[in-house]
Amino acid sequence: VQLQASGGGLVQAGGSLRLSCAASGRTFSMIAMGWFRQAPGKEREFVAAITRTGRSTDYTDSVKGRFTISRDNAKNTMYLQMNSLKPEDTAVYYCAAVYTGWDSDPRRRSDEYTYWGQGTLVTVSS
């Protein structure tokens, strides 16, 4: 699986962005996916995750109510809608994927993912 993240950019605080993660291959519906981010000088952290069918999602507390993860299996694409952005959301955002044998719960740990995109930079100005 190859992942291509896009949609990052510069936005003012309070604004919105939508990130996309396009996946190659014909097995998109068999992979669970997630978004992670890494701010300058900090470790990579979990942002959101979604099961292979989209049945269930999970978010880190700091983005709950502001970010929405979704996927379109017909388009082999996952999304992260980010609203009410804050300067502390500034980071490189990475999408990740892992094959799962069933529609298991969303995965929060980076070491549970096998495939990673190249990252897209989100900068939120105050």
Side-chain angles (χ1 to χ4, degrees), residues 30-91:
M30 296 177 64
I31 58 176
M33 302 192 74
W35 288 100
F36 291 77
R37 66 186 179 186
Q38 187 166 18
K42 296 188 177 181
E43 294 186 352
R44 189 174 299 188
E45 66 171 353
F46 168 75
V47 177
I50 189 166
T51 58
R52 51 189 263 180
T53 64
R55 167 188 62 84
S56 183
T57 59
D58 191 19
Y59 301 89
T60 192
D61 287 346
S62 63
V63 308
K64 284 181 180 177
R66 300 189 298 122
F67 291 10
T68 302
I69 189 172
S70 62
R71 63 189 295 162
D72 185 338
N73 285 359
K75 295 182 178 180
N76 282 18
T77 304
M78 174 181 66
Y79 305 98
L80 185 68
Q81 178 66 43
M82 305 186 295
N83 299 328
S84 302
L85 282 161
K86 304 175 181 181
E88 51 263 44
D89 295 317
T90 295

Side-chain angles (χ1 to χ4, degrees), residues 11-24:
V11 64
Q12 289 188 332
S16 298
L17 282 175
R18 188 175 81 156
L19 305 184
S20 298
C21 178
S24 63

Side-chain angles (χ1 to χ4, degrees), residues 36 108-114 116:
F36 291 77
R108 300 172 63 99
R109 289 169 38 190
S110 61
D111 62 1
E112 295 183 284
Y113 289 88
T114 307
W116 291 84

